[in-house]
Every structure is written in structure tokens, then in C-alpha cells.
Amino acid sequence: MLRQIALIDCNSFYVSCERLFEPRLRSKAVVVLSNNDGCVVARSKEAKRIPVEMGVPFFEIKDLVETGKVIALSSNYTLYGDLSARVMTTLAGFGRSQEVYSIDECFLDLTGDPKPTETMIAARCRVLRDVGIPTSVGIGPTKTLAKLASEIAKGLPAGVFVMPPPGPALAEVLGKLPVAEVWGVGPAFQATLRTWNIKTVLDLARLPPERMQRKYGVVGERVVRELRGEACHLLVEGPEPKQTITVSRSFSRDIAALPDLRAAASSFAERAAEKARSGHRAAGAVTAWLSANRFKADAPDCGGSLTHVFPVATNSTPELVNAVDAMVRRLWELGQPEGRWKKAGVLLLDLVDDRARQTSLFGEVERERAGRISTALDEASRRFGTTALCSGTRLLSKNWKPLAGRCSPRRTTRWNEVLEVG
DNA sequence: TCTGGGGTCCTAGGACCC
DNA sequence: TCTGGGGTCCTAGGACCC
């Protein structure tokens, strides 16, 4: 049976959310800004037409805002998350299975549906009526083709586009699309394809998969195969357990004062602990990092990180906050006297299921790991008076001593040599 | 002056063991 | 002092996504 995958994409999602509560925003050029109102993260179609590009810093469009040509809004992620959940729930019943791919997109499996177009027109109408969010729907035999179809759908009155089955009709559609539209083809990929004189999606689909495999491995190969209608990416139902959890922010200005850094880092650690607990995850290690303003010519890529390994995986707020706080104080010292920080973050890694941990805590594996790690921690603190571990690989600004060696959280044997340098 | 945040997957090659 | 290869695990970093 021919696979039929639909990709439902909310149009200008953040802008559409804001428009629900502010009718004056309808038919206007509207953008939503990132944290600290730093740059543009969503644009209405009127704003795209001007054009306002995705990701441009706010100061570059300030004139447009001041002259009333564009309305700029701060973001409200709580609202967007709530509306997203309603959209996804509404759509779930229209396919035999659903993969929520991002805050504003999901895939539905329509295989076996005799009238997929009608089904999706009904789905869009329901989302618009019940939640108030406009959507576009693309349908195709693979995820990659469905995504391309949804781009075409944005320009159609019905808001639904079905990719033709492989053959001349499909070739005609793909021949009109630039290769940059393809899911998985980013800037680096595009640069190579240009040198191969690959311009349209059709050009790419006609490349021998083996050639892509040699240059880009399985990732590139899958892109080509999916364009030919061969499914390489299956639907993933239900949220997969997280591999890492990040909480990070840019500051509105550079921060040099330790109390400010500690306050920020503690709140990141608290939030990370909450995220971990809500997903039933526990961290085997936590990294804290600081970085300087990457746009300043005198301090490119300057920053550092420390990683702390827990004897037993944890998601307790005090444990995470304490570990992060100790590392931030140390990072601040390492950055003295000129350290000025624009961004900081906390990363939970080595995540495990915290319900399984409860039962395996007394199991052999966990006990062996706990014993091994605590021995190494004891040794480290005896010799160096600290248990914070250096893993910074970019402590390279002119006033900082580069850190030699690396630390891998699982490799207890190497910790000591890293600590000696740090 | 002002430039987001949160993820995933893949690979080369090092580390380690036998 | 000189000598080997296979298998597996692990990490950093690149590339991409929204």
C-alpha cells in the first residue's frame, strides 16, 4: 500500500498566536522577537513580503518599526506552548498515528485513507474553528516530500497540496523548486551542491544515492532516497526520552559581576531540574558554561565550561543548583580579570530514566558505577581540593590559560590529569 | 548599543581491551 | 627493544532542524 504522510504546519505560528488576542494585528506586517527582543523569530506573511528575514537582529529593522511599517512583539512561549498542545490534540484523530515534530508542526500517517485531501481540508477547518490557528498541509509518500508539499500548500487557497506519485508530474513539480527548500539541505550542503551544478530539487533527486553516500554518508543518501519516494524516516509516535536537557540565555548586556552570574546560573539549574523531573529523567553529569559575546571582534569564541559528575544520577534541585554554583564560581575565577559574559547555560547529560534508577539503584550496574566514580572523586578531592571537573576546550582568550586535555564524564581515569591543569 | 534557545543525528578517530 | 590486529566503546564536533 502506498504510504501517505501528511505534514501539518501552522502558518507563522507565533504571529498567529498573538493575532488571536490582538485582532488589530490581522493583515499587518508583524514579527515576534526572541529573548531580550534580540532578533526576529517569526514573521507574518506581510512581513516576509517586505522582506524581513528570519533571524535578523532587531536593530536592523528598527526603522521599519518606528515608521509603523512593521509591528514587533516580544515573545510569550507559555502562550505558544499552550496553543500548540491544543492544535496537536485536535489533529491527532485525523490520522492513524501522529508524530509531533516541533511546536508548530506534526506528521500524520494517512496511509489507507481513500480521500486524504478531503480529510486534511476537514482537519485544517477544525483547527481554525476550534483553536483559531491557520495551517498548511502537504501530503506525500515520505516525510521529505510531505514537507516540500506543505511549502507549496502555503500559496494555495485550499491550503493543502498532494505530491504526485513518482513520474513526470512529480518531476515537473520538483523541477520548479530550489534545492535549498529540501529538509536536511543546509548551508554547507548547498555549497557543495552548487559546485556540482545542482540547482533544483529535481537535480538532487536524480543524483545517484551512492554519490551522495560517498560525500555525505547516510544523511545525504537518505535525502535523495526520500525525494525519490523511498521512505527512510518513519513516524515516531510519542515523545522520545530526552538525551540532553539545556537551559541557557543570552543576557541583555555583558555581565562581569559574580553575584549576577550566580543568580542566573541558579535559576537555570532550577529550571533544568524541573524539566528533568517532569520527563522522569535524571542526570549523570551537569555542565555549566559561560561565553563572551561572539559578535565582538576582540573575543570570538571565548568561553569555558566545567562538568560535574554525580556518583548517582540525580534530578534534585539542591544537588544541581549546588554543583552549578560551585562551577560558576570557578569559571568566574578562571575568567578574571577581564571576563565579561554575554551568555550562560546549564546542560544536563548522561540522562537516565529516574524511575528505573530507583529500582536499579541497588543493582550491580549502578553500584559498580557509583563505587567507581566515588573512588575517583575521593582521589581528586584529596589531591586537588575540588570535585569540579574541567572540560573546557575553548578557554583560549588571551588572558586565559588554555586547558590541555579533555575530560570525559565517563572516563574516571583521566580526571586527575585534567584537574591538574585546571 | 542592540545579534535566540533547544534539540537531534552522524562520523572520524582516539582509547582501551584482548 | 621491538613487535599486531580486531572489536568496541566513547567523545568532540559538524551539520541540520524549528
Side-chain angles (χ1 to χ4, degrees), chain A residues 2-3 16 53 71-73 84 115 133 138 200 216 223 225 237 244 263 268 280 312 321 324 368 404 406 418:
Chain A
L2 180 69
R3 261 167 53 104
S16 297
E53 300 298 336
I71 299 172
L73 306 169
S84 171
K115 295 185 170 178
I133 300 291
T200 69
Y216 281 101
V223 169
R225 291 192 186 277
E237 271 194 274
T244 60
F268 300 163
H280 295 292
V312 176
V321 167
V324 166
E368 194 274 337
R406 299 188 300 259
V418 177

Side-chain angles (χ1 to χ4, degrees), chain A residues 224-302:
Chain A
V224 173
R225 291 192 186 277
E226 283 248 322
L227 287 174
R228 296 171 169 216
E230 195 179 321
C232 301
H233 299 289
L234 304 181
L235 255 62
V236 183
E237 271 194 274
E240 294 286 291
K242 293 245 181 287
Q243 310 292 309
T244 60
I245 291 172
T246 307
V247 179
S248 69
R249 292 287 180 279
S250 293
F251 305 125
S252 52
R253 53 183 169 76
D254 285 359
I255 287 186
L258 179 59
D260 294 343
L261 288 174
R262 290 179 67 187
S266 289
S267 73
F268 300 163
E270 274 179 42
R271 179 77 192 107
E274 286 164 16
K275 282 188 178 185
R277 288 196 298 269
S278 74
H280 295 292
R281 305 296 277 167
V286 55
T287 296
W289 52 268
L290 302 175
S291 75
N293 190 335
R294 66 196 170 99
F295 293 100
K296 277 189 184 164
D298 58 340
D301 284 340
C302 173

Side-chain angles (χ1 to χ4, degrees), chain A residues 7 29 50 90 95-96 99 145 203 209 214 227 250 265 311 324 354 366 377 413:
Chain A
L7 186 271
I50 286 180
T90 305
R96 52 204 272 176
E99 174 184 342
L145 287 171
D203 296 336
R214 279 197 300 277
L227 287 174
S250 293
V324 166
D354 72 346
E366 195 68 26
L377 285 173
T413 52

Side-chain angles (χ1 to χ4, degrees), chain A residues 25 120 168 186 189 261:
Chain A
L25 300 174
M120 286 299 98
F189 207 160
L261 288 174

Side-chain angles (χ1 to χ4, degrees), chain A residues 309 373 376 389 407-409 411-419:
Chain A
V309 179
I373 293 177
L389 307 174
C407 165
S408 99
R411 290 278 164 87
T412 55
T413 52
R414 300 197 57 206
W415 294 357
N416 294 349
E417 86 189 44
V418 177
L419 281 163

